[in-house]
Amino acid sequence: MSSPQPRPADGAEPLTRGQRLDRLPFTRQHGRLLGGSGVGWALDAMDVGLISFVIAALTVQWQLGDLERSLLGSVGFAGMAVGATLGGLLADRVGRRQVFALTLLVYGAATGASALVGGLAALLALRFVVGLGLGAELPVASTLVSEYAPARLRGRVVVALEAFWAVGWTAAALIGFFVVGASDDGWRWAFALGAVPALYAVVVRRGLPESVRFLEGRGRGDEAEAAVRRFERSAGVETPSTPDARRTREAPAPPRAGYRDLWAPGLRGRTAALWAVWFCVNFSYYGAFIWLPSLLVDAGYPLVRSFEYTLLITLAQLPGYAVAAVLVERWGRRPVLATFLVGSAVGALLLGQAGSPTTIVLAGMLLSFFNLGAWGALYAVTPEVYGTALRGTGAGAAAGFGRLASILAPLSVVPLTALGGTVAVFTAFGLVFVVAAAACWGLPELRGRSLEESVRERVDA
């Protein structure tokens, strides 16, 4: 039997647990959830970023051809496409926290095993397994954080979570510069460091709370109540304990839902817009950044100098997130997303024209600033598109569809380069960013509003 919920003063209708979470300030419990999820997010980014440096190193050491490099860049994203789709579905079935911990264990163990491979075939197989875990982790973590964040701060909190990606990618750049480029076995040591997420999975499983909305939907009201009260105590909000004050208003249990429901009337327009944005952003981001160290090497820069330039470009991600985090609650999700996508297009076009170390770094930093700010806004809006029963499934499906673009992007670089060099490559990426900017206007705007309002809007549509 579910625990009763508190009744507000003055005879007002009792609040649901979701409303009680929405009224709280940002507390130490929110900080622990954000930090715990963010570390997992950063480790995910570190693993994705490492492969770009490993490809550049193995191109020299194993004499990889263009096809082999493309396969190594794409196979992980094939795993991510499958992982994101299945991970979101599992998160709606067995819980956000459980799937989050499982994904960390899977990709951490597979990354560590990659340090021991003796040839390309084994590395490709392990990179697919790594992708399964990586793909599932991101939409699940953002869903969990968004479901605890107060409504008026939700976008900013989710962008802050996404900012951990820059921390992880910067760590990858540092490992690439100091470890991968240091010796012939540097890439093996880099993969060994990538095994850390397997250990961190234990922390996630024991330390992070399960989603209150998920617990309610599974009839686990006592656990949901205990979680809400823990956050209320952290905020200094007293939960009345008298019988009259504990009259209950349970949130309605969400119905079972699946992939077909994403295309139901009232949702299909949102789903189409979300999938389009995810596809375009993935295509341009991974096409540019996975290949950047290798493109610099191909342009004649030494391996270490290529890694140094990539590190400088990566550092521009952090201020991009910071600006997006401020604007996403002032302007709204869609205006920020559109603005940063247009800025990404400009950065890509300038990078394609850059011909000197200075212009390469400056244009790359511009692309990095706007592109990662756009990612933050995209992760802020994605969990708001669907109600509780579909939130994990919808976020995972969008991410999974986007990962198809991650597979295609590295494969497209070779023919685009043959067609018109780096100018053709980055011009194509810029145009795809513009398409994403147009598509984002089909997404809902829930700045400062509860997640439950997404459901009501869909019903009224």
Side-chain angles (χ1 to χ4, degrees):
M1 189 173 77
S2 297
S3 295
Q5 297 186 44
R7 178 185 177 91
D10 302 326
E13 185 180 13
L15 300 174
T16 66
R17 295 187 182 97
Q19 290 170 334
R20 287 162 62 189
L21 289 173
D22 279 340
R23 68 176 179 168
L24 297 178
F26 189 86
T27 69
R28 182 177 299 179
Q29 288 292 328
H30 289 105
R32 289 182 60 186
L33 174 60
L34 177 60
S37 302
V39 170
W41 200 284
L43 291 171
D44 191 331
M46 185 183 77
D47 196 288
V48 175
L50 278 177
I51 194 61
S52 64
F53 298 97
V54 171
I55 290 173
L58 292 182
T59 296
V60 176
Q61 189 178 139
W62 287 1
Q63 298 297 302
L64 298 181
D66 287 340
L67 177 59
E68 293 167 318
R69 291 194 300 175
S70 296
L71 288 174
L72 192 53
S74 295
V75 69
F77 297 118
M80 291 176 78
V82 177
T85 305
L86 294 179
L89 183 64
L90 284 174
D92 284 335
R93 297 291 189 270
V94 302
R96 284 53 159 146
R97 182 182 63 179
Q98 306 276 32
V99 177
F100 187 16
L102 178 62
T103 62
L104 290 168
L105 179 62
V106 168
Y107 82 75
T111 300
S114 299
L116 305 176
V117 299
L120 182 62
L123 184 56
L124 289 172
L126 283 170
R127 289 308 299 174
F128 180 82
V129 177
V130 168
L132 290 175
L134 292 173
E137 190 261 318
L138 296 175
V140 173
S142 61
T143 296
L144 177 61
V145 170
S146 69
E147 289 182 329
Y148 269 103
R152 65 190 178 282
L153 300 174
R154 187 172 58 248
R156 189 167 297 171
V157 172
V158 176
V159 175
L161 172 67
E162 167 66 4
F164 280 88
W165 185 271
V167 176
W169 202 280
T170 301
L174 289 170
I175 293 171
F177 184 68
F178 289 108
V179 178
V180 177
S183 68
D184 287 345
D185 287 330
W187 63 272
R188 295 186 185 275
W189 288 110
F191 277 144
L193 289 172
V196 172
L199 302 176
Y200 188 66
V202 179
V203 178
V204 170
R205 179 64 184 82
R206 294 175 61 88
L208 297 186
E210 182 54 89
S211 163
V212 168
R213 290 172 170 89
F214 170 80
L215 292 172
E216 286 187 320
R218 292 296 174 270
R220 295 157 64 181
D222 288 336
E223 296 175 63
E225 181 66 23
V228 173
R229 293 193 180 203
R230 187 161 60 249
F231 276 74
E232 288 177 330
R233 285 194 300 271
S234 181
V237 174
E238 293 292 332
T239 303
S241 57
T242 62
D244 288 342
R246 289 189 288 133
R247 291 180 58 187
T248 303
R249 184 163 78 91
E250 295 283 349
R256 288 273 182 168
Y259 295 119
R260 183 177 301 177
D261 297 288
L262 299 176
W263 299 96
L267 279 182
R268 58 172 64 110
R270 293 182 176 193
T271 297
L274 187 65
W275 284 28
V277 177
W278 270 92
F279 187 91
C280 292
V281 173
N282 271 274
F283 185 88
S284 293
Y285 174 77
Y286 287 108
F289 285 94
I290 289 296
W291 272 88
L292 188 57
S294 296
L295 288 173
L296 290 169
V297 170
D298 292 345
Y301 295 101
L303 188 65
V304 174
R305 181 57 56 87
S306 167
F307 289 176
E308 179 184 351
Y309 290 163
T310 304
L311 174 59
L312 292 173
I313 290 170
T314 301
L315 291 174
Q317 295 181 7
L318 287 168
Y321 283 123
V323 174
V326 173
L327 295 180
V328 78
E329 296 296 358
R330 293 185 179 180
W331 293 2
R333 283 68 158 139
R334 287 181 304 196
V336 172
L337 182 54
T339 299
F340 275 71
L341 286 171
V342 171
S344 301
V346 173
L349 294 173
L350 291 176
L351 186 57
Q353 300 290 332
S356 67
T358 300
T359 56
I360 288 173
V361 171
L362 290 177
M365 292 178 73
L366 184 68
L367 173 60
S368 191
F369 175 91
F370 280 108
N371 195 186
L372 276 297
W375 270 115
L378 180 57
Y379 270 104
V381 74
T382 297
E384 298 176 345
V385 173
Y386 305 104
T388 300
L390 269 177
R391 188 165 294 124
T393 301
F401 184 73
R403 298 307 176 193
L404 297 178
S406 306
I407 302 168
L408 297 175
L411 296 174
S412 73
V413 170
V414 174
L416 285 172
T417 302
L419 181 66
T422 56
V423 175
V425 172
F426 286 98
T427 297
F429 293 153
L431 292 175
V432 173
F433 277 131
V434 172
V435 174
C440 76
W441 291 100
L443 300 174
E445 179 61 66
L446 270 81
R447 176 169 60 101
R449 295 157 66 184
S450 72
L451 289 173
E452 284 74 16
E453 290 186 67
S454 177
V455 182
R456 290 199 292 274
E457 282 189 355
R458 190 247 305 170
V459 171
D460 293 340

